[in-house]
Amino acid sequence: MGDRVWRVAVFVALLMVYHPAQAADKFKVYLGNPAGERHPVGVLSLGQGADAGQFQFELEQSAFDNYFLSMRPFRCLEGAGKMLCYLPYPYQKPDRFTGSDRRALEYDFLFIQRQPRDYGIDPWNGLYYSIELVDGVMRGQAHAVDLNLLAAPPEQGVVFPISADDLHAVDPAKLWLPALIFERLAS
């Protein structure tokens, strides 16, 4: 039995040498504005090699304050007399995106704007961060969207219920945190 265990261990070690696991690229994700204000929202891991396009986003819980709004818990950022509350996408979606279609990733960055004095929360005040690749760097820009679209599950066969027609350009100067910033972490 010991000889068999030793052979399996050698085989696994050889596999690791000849087929090393591809380490994921990791990015710290921030919401920011042109004035230089940046608030961390989480860490994004992107697969490499055969796993390219696969991703995992982990919300940085400690960066947010907990609120109970409209009979639901929310994690919110507060500053400049405004609030942004994170809305996790409530339905199943892919964990992979392509270079030209980043919607699976964009659905991890849904927020609702509100004033600290407001009662409750209104999904009509949603923000959707469209992500583009500029000179090899990912960036996101906020668009207004009515997130009431997500109140019911998408129709059969519809993976992404928010369409381009649902997104509305917003003057970044009118938003507290209009930019989604990805900063590569050292490996």
Side-chain angles (χ1 to χ4, degrees):
M1 172 118 161
D3 188 45
R4 180 181 165 102
V5 170
W6 182 83
R7 280 189 223 167
V8 169
V10 168
F11 178 72
V12 168
L14 287 173
L15 277 177
M16 297 291 284
V17 170
Y18 292 107
H19 300 287
Q22 296 287 336
D25 274 344
K26 291 191 180 251
F27 296 83
K28 185 78 166 191
V29 183
Y30 299 88
L31 288 177
N33 60 32
E37 190 175 354
R38 290 169 54 151
H39 294 269
V41 292
V43 174
L44 175 66
S45 300
L46 297 179
Q48 297 296 307
D51 292 330
Q54 191 156 1
F55 69 92
Q56 179 179 4
F57 175 69
E58 186 175 328
L59 190 70
E60 189 167 321
Q61 308 280 344
S62 63
F64 292 82
D65 292 323
N66 295 314
Y67 290 86
F68 195 72
L69 305 166
S70 300
M71 303 301 291
R72 289 186 45 204
F74 281 92
R75 298 197 178 279
C76 303
L77 298 171
E78 188 172 356
K82 300 183 182 203
M83 290 177 74
L84 281 181
C85 299
Y86 181 69
L87 181 67
Y89 184 65
Y91 309 109
Q92 193 167 15
K93 67 174 184 63
D95 62 355
R96 180 179 291 276
F97 67 94
T98 66
S100 61
D101 185 354
R102 296 177 196 88
R103 290 178 296 174
L105 178 57
E106 292 169 347
Y107 275 50
D108 277 347
F109 301 105
L110 301 175
F111 288 85
I112 299 173
Q113 304 177 88
R114 69 184 300 274
Q115 299 293 322
R117 69 184 179 315
D118 289 346
Y119 177 77
I121 195 162
D122 187 352
W124 186 83
N125 294 317
L127 288 180
Y128 179 104
Y129 288 84
S130 294
I131 298 171
E132 61 183 2
L133 195 59
V134 178
D135 298 326
V137 177
M138 284 193 308
R139 301 189 172 138
Q141 181 64 45
H143 291 78
V145 64
D146 180 357
L147 290 175
N148 282 306
L149 293 166
L150 305 180
E155 294 179 20
Q156 184 77 12
V158 175
V159 178
F160 301 112
I162 300 170
S163 73
D165 292 337
D166 297 318
L167 303 179
H168 306 284
V170 180
D171 178 358
K174 295 187 181 205
L175 296 176
W176 172 38
L177 300 170
L180 190 61
I181 302 160
F182 298 86
E183 187 176 279
R184 187 183 301 273
L185 294 172
S187 40

